[in-house]
Amino acid sequence: MAKQKKHPQGNIAQNKKALHDYFIEQKFEAGLALAGWEVKSLRAGKAQLVDSYVLLKDGEAWLLGSHITPLTTASTHVIADPTRTRKLLLHKRELGKLFGAVQQKGYACVALSLYWKKHLIKCEVALAKGKKEYDKRDTEKVRDSDREIQRAIRNKGKED
């Protein structure tokens, strides 16, 4: 009987800057059309989503600005482009929701994370609305106050 392979688990890369710059309204799970060397690099965890965004055109979704660093051993016969545009695989209904919201309501479409789902690589895409500067400061104040409360609760038990 054949031995079952262990599938990689967890996040490959996250876009924390998007969480800081946008209010996340709705999330979608999209597949990625990748080359072989890209999959090997993602297994090694060599991906960045910092300045990436999703472009919607001609009824398709494209991931731009993501950086997958090629492994030196993996791609010897292929000229690897680390920042090439990659096609996102979504259902027509999901694409329709994204197109409608981005064109009408002033929403943006951003990539939040790359992760493994069994043996497949998925990209979490979000419909987001941009934050103003005062919104970012307010979010930071709330986060700091929550951190202070948690610290006080943790230290209260140790003082007695």
Side-chain angles (χ1 to χ4, degrees):
M1 193 166 176
K3 203 180 226 185
Q4 291 292 324
K5 285 188 179 177
K6 251 191 176 176
H7 299 301
Q9 292 180 348
N11 280 340
I12 299 167
Q14 284 190 321
N15 190 354
K16 292 182 181 178
K17 189 174 169 82
L19 296 173
H20 182 263
D21 291 343
Y22 297 98
F23 289 116
I24 306 302
E25 300 289 326
Q26 194 173 5
K27 294 180 182 179
F28 298 95
E29 182 181 75
L32 275 168
L34 297 171
W37 67 268
E38 292 172 322
V39 177
K40 286 185 177 185
S41 294
L42 290 172
R43 282 188 203 282
K46 299 195 179 285
Q48 294 176 353
L49 286 177
V50 177
D51 294 326
S52 64
Y53 60 97
V54 177
L55 178 70
L56 302 167
K57 88 174 180 193
D58 299 333
E60 295 177 334
W62 299 89
L63 180 64
L64 283 94
S66 62
H67 191 278
I68 298 177
T69 307
L71 296 175
T72 54
T73 57
S75 55
T76 54
H77 64 285
V78 177
I79 299 167
D81 181 17
T83 57
R84 76 175 184 90
T85 57
R86 295 165 179 93
K87 187 173 181 180
L88 291 172
L89 309 172
L90 289 157
H91 291 285
K92 287 269 190 219
R93 186 175 53 249
E94 293 172 335
L95 281 169
K97 281 183 188 177
L98 289 172
F99 272 104
V102 167
Q103 288 177 349
Q104 292 176 359
K105 304 172 193 164
Y107 283 99
C109 196
V110 292
L112 294 180
S113 66
L114 289 174
Y115 59 93
W116 291 98
K117 188 171 184 184
K118 294 188 181 173
H119 63 283
L120 302 172
I121 297 168
K122 299 290 184 177
C123 180
E124 189 174 36
V125 177
L127 198 58
K129 195 167 243 181
K131 282 186 184 178
K132 304 277 190 257
E133 195 63 38
Y134 58 85
D135 289 329
K136 294 177 190 176
R137 285 194 295 264
D138 188 46
T139 304
E140 220 167 280
K141 282 180 189 175
V142 168
R143 195 178 300 134
D144 286 344
S145 66
D146 287 345
R147 194 177 299 130
E148 287 295 323
I149 291 169
Q150 289 297 326
R151 194 175 292 140
I153 290 171
R154 228 180 301 127
N155 291 339
K156 185 180 178 200
K158 292 180 182 176
E159 291 174 0
D160 291 338

PDB file of all heavy atoms in Angstrom, residues 88-107:
ATOM      1  N   LEU A  88      -5.782  34.638 -11.114  1.00  0.00           N
ATOM      2  CA  LEU A  88      -6.559  34.137  -9.983  1.00  0.00           C
ATOM      3  C   LEU A  88      -7.765  33.382 -10.520  1.00  0.00           C
ATOM      4  O   LEU A  88      -8.444  33.844 -11.441  1.00  0.00           O
ATOM      5  CB  LEU A  88      -7.026  35.306  -9.102  1.00  0.00           C
ATOM      6  CG  LEU A  88      -5.927  36.028  -8.341  1.00  0.00           C
ATOM      7  CD1 LEU A  88      -6.488  37.264  -7.665  1.00  0.00           C
ATOM      8  CD2 LEU A  88      -5.292  35.122  -7.319  1.00  0.00           C
ATOM      9  N   LEU A  89      -8.025  32.235  -9.942  1.00  0.00           N
ATOM     10  CA  LEU A  89      -9.111  31.375 -10.397  1.00  0.00           C
ATOM     11  C   LEU A  89     -10.304  31.524  -9.459  1.00  0.00           C
ATOM     12  O   LEU A  89     -10.262  31.081  -8.317  1.00  0.00           O
ATOM     13  CB  LEU A  89      -8.624  29.922 -10.443  1.00  0.00           C
ATOM     14  CG  LEU A  89      -7.319  29.702 -11.211  1.00  0.00           C
ATOM     15  CD1 LEU A  89      -6.826  28.279 -11.018  1.00  0.00           C
ATOM     16  CD2 LEU A  89      -7.495  30.027 -12.669  1.00  0.00           C
ATOM     17  N   LEU A  90     -11.343  32.171  -9.958  1.00  0.00           N
ATOM     18  CA  LEU A  90     -12.564  32.417  -9.188  1.00  0.00           C
ATOM     19  C   LEU A  90     -13.775  31.977 -10.005  1.00  0.00           C
ATOM     20  O   LEU A  90     -13.723  31.903 -11.233  1.00  0.00           O
ATOM     21  CB  LEU A  90     -12.700  33.909  -8.874  1.00  0.00           C
ATOM     22  CG  LEU A  90     -11.735  34.495  -7.855  1.00  0.00           C
ATOM     23  CD1 LEU A  90     -11.600  35.983  -8.057  1.00  0.00           C
ATOM     24  CD2 LEU A  90     -12.230  34.211  -6.458  1.00  0.00           C
ATOM     25  N   HIS A  91     -14.889  31.722  -9.317  1.00  0.00           N
ATOM     26  CA  HIS A  91     -16.143  31.405  -9.997  1.00  0.00           C
ATOM     27  C   HIS A  91     -16.699  32.677 -10.631  1.00  0.00           C
ATOM     28  O   HIS A  91     -16.428  33.784 -10.183  1.00  0.00           O
ATOM     29  CB  HIS A  91     -17.169  30.845  -9.004  1.00  0.00           C
ATOM     30  CG  HIS A  91     -16.804  29.499  -8.491  1.00  0.00           C
ATOM     31  ND1 HIS A  91     -16.934  28.355  -9.235  1.00  0.00           N
ATOM     32  CD2 HIS A  91     -16.317  29.101  -7.280  1.00  0.00           C
ATOM     33  CE1 HIS A  91     -16.540  27.320  -8.521  1.00  0.00           C
ATOM     34  NE2 HIS A  91     -16.150  27.744  -7.333  1.00  0.00           N
ATOM     35  N   LYS A  92     -17.504  32.514 -11.673  1.00  0.00           N
ATOM     36  CA  LYS A  92     -18.113  33.656 -12.381  1.00  0.00           C
ATOM     37  C   LYS A  92     -18.915  34.542 -11.430  1.00  0.00           C
ATOM     38  O   LYS A  92     -18.898  35.760 -11.515  1.00  0.00           O
ATOM     39  CB  LYS A  92     -19.039  33.163 -13.495  1.00  0.00           C
ATOM     40  CG  LYS A  92     -18.330  32.601 -14.680  1.00  0.00           C
ATOM     41  CD  LYS A  92     -18.081  33.682 -15.689  1.00  0.00           C
ATOM     42  CE  LYS A  92     -17.595  33.061 -16.978  1.00  0.00           C
ATOM     43  NZ  LYS A  92     -16.567  33.858 -17.597  1.00  0.00           N
ATOM     44  N   ARG A  93     -19.629  33.913 -10.513  1.00  0.00           N
ATOM     45  CA  ARG A  93     -20.466  34.648  -9.563  1.00  0.00           C
ATOM     46  C   ARG A  93     -19.599  35.537  -8.663  1.00  0.00           C
ATOM     47  O   ARG A  93     -19.928  36.700  -8.411  1.00  0.00           O
ATOM     48  CB  ARG A  93     -21.279  33.644  -8.737  1.00  0.00           C
ATOM     49  CG  ARG A  93     -22.299  34.248  -7.818  1.00  0.00           C
ATOM     50  CD  ARG A  93     -23.145  33.175  -7.130  1.00  0.00           C
ATOM     51  NE  ARG A  93     -22.347  32.163  -6.445  1.00  0.00           N
ATOM     52  CZ  ARG A  93     -22.231  30.884  -6.825  1.00  0.00           C
ATOM     53  NH1 ARG A  93     -22.821  30.453  -7.903  1.00  0.00           N
ATOM     54  NH2 ARG A  93     -21.509  30.033  -6.135  1.00  0.00           N
ATOM     55  N   GLU A  94     -18.477  34.987  -8.194  1.00  0.00           N
ATOM     56  CA  GLU A  94     -17.566  35.764  -7.345  1.00  0.00           C
ATOM     57  C   GLU A  94     -16.927  36.903  -8.142  1.00  0.00           C
ATOM     58  O   GLU A  94     -16.795  38.024  -7.633  1.00  0.00           O
ATOM     59  CB  GLU A  94     -16.481  34.847  -6.775  1.00  0.00           C
ATOM     60  CG  GLU A  94     -17.015  33.826  -5.805  1.00  0.00           C
ATOM     61  CD  GLU A  94     -15.993  32.785  -5.382  1.00  0.00           C
ATOM     62  OE1 GLU A  94     -15.038  32.542  -6.143  1.00  0.00           O
ATOM     63  OE2 GLU A  94     -16.153  32.223  -4.300  1.00  0.00           O
ATOM     64  N   LEU A  95     -16.540  36.615  -9.380  1.00  0.00           N
ATOM     65  CA  LEU A  95     -15.977  37.663 -10.230  1.00  0.00           C
ATOM     66  C   LEU A  95     -16.987  38.777 -10.468  1.00  0.00           C
ATOM     67  O   LEU A  95     -16.645  39.958 -10.461  1.00  0.00           O
ATOM     68  CB  LEU A  95     -15.528  37.084 -11.573  1.00  0.00           C
ATOM     69  CG  LEU A  95     -14.189  36.364 -11.575  1.00  0.00           C
ATOM     70  CD1 LEU A  95     -13.989  35.613 -12.873  1.00  0.00           C
ATOM     71  CD2 LEU A  95     -13.057  37.326 -11.339  1.00  0.00           C
ATOM     72  N   GLY A  96     -18.247  38.402 -10.652  1.00  0.00           N
ATOM     73  CA  GLY A  96     -19.302  39.398 -10.851  1.00  0.00           C
ATOM     74  C   GLY A  96     -19.465  40.302  -9.645  1.00  0.00           C
ATOM     75  O   GLY A  96     -19.619  41.523  -9.785  1.00  0.00           O
ATOM     76  N   LYS A  97     -19.426  39.724  -8.436  1.00  0.00           N
ATOM     77  CA  LYS A  97     -19.525  40.523  -7.207  1.00  0.00           C
ATOM     78  C   LYS A  97     -18.353  41.505  -7.120  1.00  0.00           C
ATOM     79  O   LYS A  97     -18.530  42.672  -6.792  1.00  0.00           O
ATOM     80  CB  LYS A  97     -19.507  39.609  -5.977  1.00  0.00           C
ATOM     81  CG  LYS A  97     -20.806  38.932  -5.685  1.00  0.00           C
ATOM     82  CD  LYS A  97     -20.679  38.111  -4.418  1.00  0.00           C
ATOM     83  CE  LYS A  97     -21.904  37.257  -4.186  1.00  0.00           C
ATOM     84  NZ  LYS A  97     -21.766  36.405  -2.994  1.00  0.00           N
ATOM     85  N   LEU A  98     -17.150  40.994  -7.402  1.00  0.00           N
ATOM     86  CA  LEU A  98     -15.962  41.849  -7.324  1.00  0.00           C
ATOM     87  C   LEU A  98     -16.032  42.983  -8.345  1.00  0.00           C
ATOM     88  O   LEU A  98     -15.776  44.137  -8.014  1.00  0.00           O
ATOM     89  CB  LEU A  98     -14.695  41.021  -7.536  1.00  0.00           C
ATOM     90  CG  LEU A  98     -14.300  40.078  -6.400  1.00  0.00           C
ATOM     91  CD1 LEU A  98     -13.146  39.201  -6.830  1.00  0.00           C
ATOM     92  CD2 LEU A  98     -13.934  40.841  -5.162  1.00  0.00           C
ATOM     93  N   PHE A  99     -16.374  42.657  -9.600  1.00  0.00           N
ATOM     94  CA  PHE A  99     -16.471  43.676 -10.641  1.00  0.00           C
ATOM     95  C   PHE A  99     -17.480  44.754 -10.269  1.00  0.00           C
ATOM     96  O   PHE A  99     -17.217  45.945 -10.391  1.00  0.00           O
ATOM     97  CB  PHE A  99     -16.882  43.048 -11.987  1.00  0.00           C
ATOM     98  CG  PHE A  99     -15.724  42.576 -12.804  1.00  0.00           C
ATOM     99  CD1 PHE A  99     -15.434  41.229 -12.892  1.00  0.00           C
ATOM    100  CD2 PHE A  99     -14.928  43.479 -13.485  1.00  0.00           C
ATOM    101  CE1 PHE A  99     -14.368  40.789 -13.645  1.00  0.00           C
ATOM    102  CE2 PHE A  99     -13.861  43.041 -14.246  1.00  0.00           C
ATOM    103  CZ  PHE A  99     -13.582  41.687 -14.323  1.00  0.00           C
ATOM    104  N   GLY A 100     -18.669  44.329  -9.821  1.00  0.00           N
ATOM    105  CA  GLY A 100     -19.724  45.284  -9.481  1.00  0.00           C
ATOM    106  C   GLY A 100     -19.317  46.225  -8.367  1.00  0.00           C
ATOM    107  O   GLY A 100     -19.529  47.440  -8.446  1.00  0.00           O
ATOM    108  N   ALA A 101     -18.726  45.686  -7.329  1.00  0.00           N
ATOM    109  CA  ALA A 101     -18.351  46.512  -6.180  1.00  0.00           C
ATOM    110  C   ALA A 101     -17.205  47.454  -6.511  1.00  0.00           C
ATOM    111  O   ALA A 101     -17.208  48.616  -6.106  1.00  0.00           O
ATOM    112  CB  ALA A 101     -17.976  45.618  -5.008  1.00  0.00           C
ATOM    113  N   VAL A 102     -16.220  46.977  -7.244  1.00  0.00           N
ATOM    114  CA  VAL A 102     -15.055  47.813  -7.562  1.00  0.00           C
ATOM    115  C   VAL A 102     -15.450  48.958  -8.490  1.00  0.00           C
ATOM    116  O   VAL A 102     -14.987  50.088  -8.327  1.00  0.00           O
ATOM    117  CB  VAL A 102     -13.927  46.949  -8.178  1.00  0.00           C
ATOM    118  CG1 VAL A 102     -12.842  47.814  -8.792  1.00  0.00           C
ATOM    119  CG2 VAL A 102     -13.329  46.058  -7.115  1.00  0.00           C
ATOM    120  N   GLN A 103     -16.351  48.715  -9.437  1.00  0.00           N
ATOM    121  CA  GLN A 103     -16.724  49.758 -10.391  1.00  0.00           C
ATOM    122  C   GLN A 103     -17.682  50.785  -9.796  1.00  0.00           C
ATOM    123  O   GLN A 103     -17.612  51.958 -10.116  1.00  0.00           O
ATOM    124  CB  GLN A 103     -17.357  49.125 -11.637  1.00  0.00           C
ATOM    125  CG  GLN A 103     -16.340  48.419 -12.496  1.00  0.00           C
ATOM    126  CD  GLN A 103     -16.977  47.728 -13.692  1.00  0.00           C
ATOM    127  OE1 GLN A 103     -18.192  47.603 -13.763  1.00  0.00           O
ATOM    128  NE2 GLN A 103     -16.145  47.279 -14.615  1.00  0.00           N
ATOM    129  N   GLN A 104     -18.600  50.373  -8.929  1.00  0.00           N
ATOM    130  CA  GLN A 104     -19.632  51.285  -8.448  1.00  0.00           C
ATOM    131  C   GLN A 104     -19.298  51.962  -7.131  1.00  0.00           C
ATOM    132  O   GLN A 104     -19.312  53.171  -7.019  1.00  0.00           O
ATOM    133  CB  GLN A 104     -20.955  50.533  -8.287  1.00  0.00           C
ATOM    134  CG  GLN A 104     -21.552  50.085  -9.595  1.00  0.00           C
ATOM    135  CD  GLN A 104     -22.799  49.258  -9.385  1.00  0.00           C
ATOM    136  OE1 GLN A 104     -23.199  49.013  -8.253  1.00  0.00           O
ATOM    137  NE2 GLN A 104     -23.409  48.825 -10.473  1.00  0.00           N
ATOM    138  N   LYS A 105     -18.963  51.215  -6.120  1.00  0.00           N
ATOM    139  CA  LYS A 105     -18.952  51.740  -4.757  1.00  0.00           C
ATOM    140  C   LYS A 105     -17.608  52.261  -4.276  1.00  0.00           C
ATOM    141  O   LYS A 105     -17.468  52.632  -3.128  1.00  0.00           O
ATOM    142  CB  LYS A 105     -19.427  50.649  -3.794  1.00  0.00           C
ATOM    143  CG  LYS A 105     -20.792  50.097  -4.139  1.00  0.00           C
ATOM    144  CD  LYS A 105     -21.100  48.907  -3.269  1.00  0.00           C
ATOM    145  CE  LYS A 105     -22.300  48.163  -3.808  1.00  0.00           C
ATOM    146  NZ  LYS A 105     -22.433  46.835  -3.270  1.00  0.00           N
ATOM    147  N   GLY A 106     -16.601  52.258  -5.126  1.00  0.00           N
ATOM    148  CA  GLY A 106     -15.304  52.770  -4.691  1.00  0.00           C
ATOM    149  C   GLY A 106     -14.527  51.790  -3.835  1.00  0.00           C
ATOM    150  O   GLY A 106     -13.738  52.189  -2.984  1.00  0.00           O
ATOM    151  N   TYR A 107     -14.748  50.506  -4.034  1.00  0.00           N
ATOM    152  CA  TYR A 107     -14.002  49.492  -3.301  1.00  0.00           C
ATOM    153  C   TYR A 107     -12.726  49.151  -4.050  1.00  0.00           C
ATOM    154  O   TYR A 107     -12.596  49.389  -5.243  1.00  0.00           O
ATOM    155  CB  TYR A 107     -14.847  48.215  -3.162  1.00  0.00           C
ATOM    156  CG  TYR A 107     -15.911  48.296  -2.107  1.00  0.00           C
ATOM    157  CD1 TYR A 107     -17.224  48.579  -2.446  1.00  0.00           C
ATOM    158  CD2 TYR A 107     -15.611  48.092  -0.777  1.00  0.00           C
ATOM    159  CE1 TYR A 107     -18.211  48.657  -1.486  1.00  0.00           C
ATOM    160  CE2 TYR A 107     -16.587  48.159   0.191  1.00  0.00           C
ATOM    161  CZ  TYR A 107     -17.885  48.441  -0.168  1.00  0.00           C
ATOM    162  OH  TYR A 107     -18.851  48.511   0.793  1.00  0.00           O
TER     163      TYR A 107
END
